[in-house]
Amino acid sequence: MSRSEALKLYKSLHRTVQKVFKGDLPTMFAARDKICDEYDKNRKVANEEAVKELISYGWNVKKILAETVVQVEKVEQNRYQMKIREETHMFENNPFREDVTEEEYRAANKSARRRGGSCDEAKKDSK
């Protein structure tokens, strides 16, 4: 089972690299070479537990590549274009608020860190 899982991961990593680095041949080739090197380096691992750990690590790498790596291309002098794919994870982005004083901001962050919530929730609670 581990051999077939490793092969499935190997193919999946290569497909992910092709999607993530589409149009950027040097980076695509470098990523491809890294995948091949890592597989060659760990080819002789016989311990079943170690193989499972390596496969798990590989799936995590694939997920990170697919969801967090984006391509940025320079379009003009000070302008860049980001190529966001469908599977790219969009992190929560809190908008800038001018109606919050520095003290309120610090208090909200301190309170939110204790509770594990966001700054906007702490602002509502402080009123």
Side-chain angles (χ1 to χ4, degrees), residues 6-122:
L7 184 59
K8 181 179 173 183
L9 172 62
Y10 182 81
K11 290 178 179 182
S12 183
L13 280 167
H14 279 288
R15 281 191 294 271
T16 301
V17 162
Q18 288 176 347
K19 277 190 227 171
V20 171
F21 301 116
K22 185 177 183 179
D24 186 358
L25 293 179
T27 307
M28 190 185 311
F29 292 148
R32 180 198 65 191
D33 292 345
K34 181 66 175 170
I35 292 168
C36 293
D37 289 345
E38 288 298 315
Y39 266 80
D40 286 341
K41 183 173 81 177
N42 294 303
R43 184 180 301 274
K44 302 283 188 211
V45 175
N47 182 346
E48 190 67 30
E49 197 60 39
V51 171
K52 286 181 183 178
E53 191 174 312
L54 287 167
I55 289 173
S56 174
Y57 181 77
W59 286 116
N60 288 336
V61 168
K62 181 203 173 291
K63 182 178 181 189
I64 289 170
L65 272 174
E67 293 181 0
T68 61
V69 176
V70 294
Q71 288 180 303
V72 178
E73 184 177 16
K74 190 171 189 174
V75 182
E76 295 174 13
Q77 176 61 24
N78 289 325
R79 289 191 68 188
Y80 295 86
Q81 180 177 4
M82 185 181 295
K83 297 179 183 177
I84 299 175
R85 296 173 318 284
E86 189 175 302
E87 64 270 7
T88 302
H89 177 73
M90 304 300 274
F91 293 94
E92 184 179 323
N93 190 9
N94 293 329
F96 178 75
R97 292 180 46 187
E98 292 184 17
D99 64 330
V100 179
T101 66
E102 185 69 26
E103 293 79 29
E104 288 174 325
Y105 174 75
R106 286 186 180 158
N109 278 338
K110 191 174 187 179
S111 175
R113 267 188 252 128
R114 276 191 236 129
R115 281 194 337 271
S118 70
C119 294
D120 289 334
E121 291 170 6

